[in-house]
Amino acid sequence: AQSVTQLDSQVPVFEEAPVELRCNYSSSVSVYLFWYVQYPNQGLQLLLKYLSGSTLVESINGFEAEFNKSQTSFHLRKPSVHISDTAEYFCAVSALGNEKLTFGTGTRLTIIP
Amino acid sequence: DTAVSQTPKYLVTQMGNDKSIKCEQNLGHDTMYWYKQDSKKFLKIMFSYNNKELIINETVPNRFSPKSPDKAHLNLHINSLELGDSAVYFCASSLGLASTTGELFFGEGSRLTVL
């Protein structure tokens, strides 16, 4: 069975500062990895995903994540955050042969003006 | 034009009552899901249907019964509601199976409060 760990439940960051949200996974088979974002009182939206190919994936709003197989990580980064990035961020994993998409416990990103 | 819509958005009810939450998607997807998000934001899958067939059924009490009349609809009926059922329930859909495409489209959630 696969699992996801997001060690940081809350991350406060000053506006225009860089941020990294950590995600580690566990699986005995090949995985697909995802980051979802949940803005207040809304459903989750896919931010970016790694299925295969280049280990560095990017979103349209400046976030990027790098799949690191040796460290079983898929950390999310942004070089300069904005107030509008305030949201809950969820890392998720699915493993080949398992139809479940398993979510981490989420990291609340708070941007300080 | 809402892609995945759930009704009602808010539901407040007494313990022991029976309630339903409806979900509809207009994306032409063939797989639909119900997720439960608790007060700590933990998101856990409950059920998944692919072309009206149940493919995932987590360890959910029998009081929860999903129904998929067609592939655009997945409703959730809950009998004998308990305090612990209070949560936000999210419906989602995907084109194909989540393990290969990964992209789920979520509704806005239905907040259930059991008093």
Side-chain angles (χ1 to χ4, degrees), chain B residues 13-14 20 29 32 38 67 75 105:
Chain B
T13 188
Q14 301 282 343
S20 292
H29 290 168
M32 295 184 74
D38 63 23
K67 281 191 172 53
N75 304 323
F105 290 78

PDB file of all heavy atoms in Angstrom, chain B residues 13-14 20 29 32 38 67 75 105:
ATOM      1  N   THR B  13     -28.406  18.400  10.672  1.00  0.00           N
ATOM      2  CA  THR B  13     -29.454  17.437  10.981  1.00  0.00           C
ATOM      3  C   THR B  13     -29.211  16.814  12.348  1.00  0.00           C
ATOM      4  O   THR B  13     -28.141  16.966  12.944  1.00  0.00           O
ATOM      5  CB  THR B  13     -29.508  16.351   9.894  1.00  0.00           C
ATOM      6  OG1 THR B  13     -30.653  15.518  10.103  1.00  0.00           O
ATOM      7  CG2 THR B  13     -28.253  15.499   9.913  1.00  0.00           C
ATOM      8  N   GLN B  14     -30.203  16.124  12.846  1.00  0.00           N
ATOM      9  CA  GLN B  14     -30.125  15.485  14.159  1.00  0.00           C
ATOM     10  C   GLN B  14     -29.582  14.069  14.030  1.00  0.00           C
ATOM     11  O   GLN B  14     -29.731  13.412  12.987  1.00  0.00           O
ATOM     12  CB  GLN B  14     -31.516  15.417  14.787  1.00  0.00           C
ATOM     13  CG  GLN B  14     -32.185  16.756  14.983  1.00  0.00           C
ATOM     14  CD  GLN B  14     -31.640  17.493  16.186  1.00  0.00           C
ATOM     15  OE1 GLN B  14     -31.005  16.897  17.047  1.00  0.00           O
ATOM     16  NE2 GLN B  14     -31.858  18.801  16.250  1.00  0.00           N
ATOM     17  N   SER B  20     -29.348  12.443   2.277  1.00  0.00           N
ATOM     18  CA  SER B  20     -28.679  12.145   1.011  1.00  0.00           C
ATOM     19  C   SER B  20     -27.954  13.368   0.489  1.00  0.00           C
ATOM     20  O   SER B  20     -28.390  14.504   0.695  1.00  0.00           O
ATOM     21  CB  SER B  20     -29.696  11.698  -0.035  1.00  0.00           C
ATOM     22  OG  SER B  20     -30.244  10.455   0.284  1.00  0.00           O
ATOM     23  N   HIS B  29     -16.968  12.314 -17.800  1.00  0.00           N
ATOM     24  CA  HIS B  29     -16.069  11.355 -17.152  1.00  0.00           C
ATOM     25  C   HIS B  29     -16.812  10.056 -16.837  1.00  0.00           C
ATOM     26  O   HIS B  29     -18.032  10.043 -16.658  1.00  0.00           O
ATOM     27  CB  HIS B  29     -15.503  11.950 -15.854  1.00  0.00           C
ATOM     28  CG  HIS B  29     -14.534  13.051 -16.098  1.00  0.00           C
ATOM     29  ND1 HIS B  29     -14.099  13.875 -15.082  1.00  0.00           N
ATOM     30  CD2 HIS B  29     -13.912  13.470 -17.226  1.00  0.00           C
ATOM     31  CE1 HIS B  29     -13.230  14.761 -15.578  1.00  0.00           C
ATOM     32  NE2 HIS B  29     -13.119  14.534 -16.886  1.00  0.00           N
ATOM     33  N   MET B  32     -16.322   8.217 -10.871  1.00  0.00           N
ATOM     34  CA  MET B  32     -16.729   9.187  -9.851  1.00  0.00           C
ATOM     35  C   MET B  32     -16.366   8.669  -8.469  1.00  0.00           C
ATOM     36  O   MET B  32     -16.246   7.453  -8.263  1.00  0.00           O
ATOM     37  CB  MET B  32     -18.226   9.491  -9.951  1.00  0.00           C
ATOM     38  CG  MET B  32     -18.600  10.186 -11.261  1.00  0.00           C
ATOM     39  SD  MET B  32     -20.320  10.662 -11.350  1.00  0.00           S
ATOM     40  CE  MET B  32     -20.373  12.074 -10.223  1.00  0.00           C
ATOM     41  N   ASP B  38     -12.254  15.373   7.167  1.00  0.00           N
ATOM     42  CA  ASP B  38     -12.624  15.627   8.567  1.00  0.00           C
ATOM     43  C   ASP B  38     -12.174  17.021   9.010  1.00  0.00           C
ATOM     44  O   ASP B  38     -11.664  17.810   8.216  1.00  0.00           O
ATOM     45  CB  ASP B  38     -12.051  14.540   9.479  1.00  0.00           C
ATOM     46  CG  ASP B  38     -10.538  14.501   9.475  1.00  0.00           C
ATOM     47  OD1 ASP B  38      -9.883  15.530   9.151  1.00  0.00           O
ATOM     48  OD2 ASP B  38      -9.969  13.445   9.788  1.00  0.00           O
ATOM     49  N   LYS B  67     -25.034   5.388  -4.665  1.00  0.00           N
ATOM     50  CA  LYS B  67     -25.879   4.922  -5.768  1.00  0.00           C
ATOM     51  C   LYS B  67     -25.509   5.693  -7.022  1.00  0.00           C
ATOM     52  O   LYS B  67     -25.452   6.920  -6.998  1.00  0.00           O
ATOM     53  CB  LYS B  67     -27.367   5.124  -5.446  1.00  0.00           C
ATOM     54  CG  LYS B  67     -27.947   4.062  -4.532  1.00  0.00           C
ATOM     55  CD  LYS B  67     -29.445   4.129  -4.450  1.00  0.00           C
ATOM     56  CE  LYS B  67     -30.022   2.956  -3.695  1.00  0.00           C
ATOM     57  NZ  LYS B  67     -29.421   2.760  -2.367  1.00  0.00           N
ATOM     58  N   ASN B  75     -24.707   9.473  -6.055  1.00  0.00           N
ATOM     59  CA  ASN B  75     -25.339  10.002  -4.858  1.00  0.00           C
ATOM     60  C   ASN B  75     -24.872   9.223  -3.639  1.00  0.00           C
ATOM     61  O   ASN B  75     -24.460   8.063  -3.742  1.00  0.00           O
ATOM     62  CB  ASN B  75     -26.862   9.935  -4.996  1.00  0.00           C
ATOM     63  CG  ASN B  75     -27.347  10.673  -6.243  1.00  0.00           C
ATOM     64  OD1 ASN B  75     -26.805  11.719  -6.615  1.00  0.00           O
ATOM     65  ND2 ASN B  75     -28.359  10.128  -6.907  1.00  0.00           N
ATOM     66  N   PHE B 105     -11.422  15.915 -10.597  1.00  0.00           N
ATOM     67  CA  PHE B 105     -12.131  17.194 -10.590  1.00  0.00           C
ATOM     68  C   PHE B 105     -13.103  17.135  -9.414  1.00  0.00           C
ATOM     69  O   PHE B 105     -13.980  16.272  -9.379  1.00  0.00           O
ATOM     70  CB  PHE B 105     -12.862  17.408 -11.911  1.00  0.00           C
ATOM     71  CG  PHE B 105     -11.932  17.665 -13.062  1.00  0.00           C
ATOM     72  CD1 PHE B 105     -11.247  16.614 -13.662  1.00  0.00           C
ATOM     73  CD2 PHE B 105     -11.719  18.944 -13.537  1.00  0.00           C
ATOM     74  CE1 PHE B 105     -10.372  16.842 -14.720  1.00  0.00           C
ATOM     75  CE2 PHE B 105     -10.856  19.178 -14.608  1.00  0.00           C
ATOM     76  CZ  PHE B 105     -10.182  18.128 -15.186  1.00  0.00           C
TER      77      PHE B 105
END
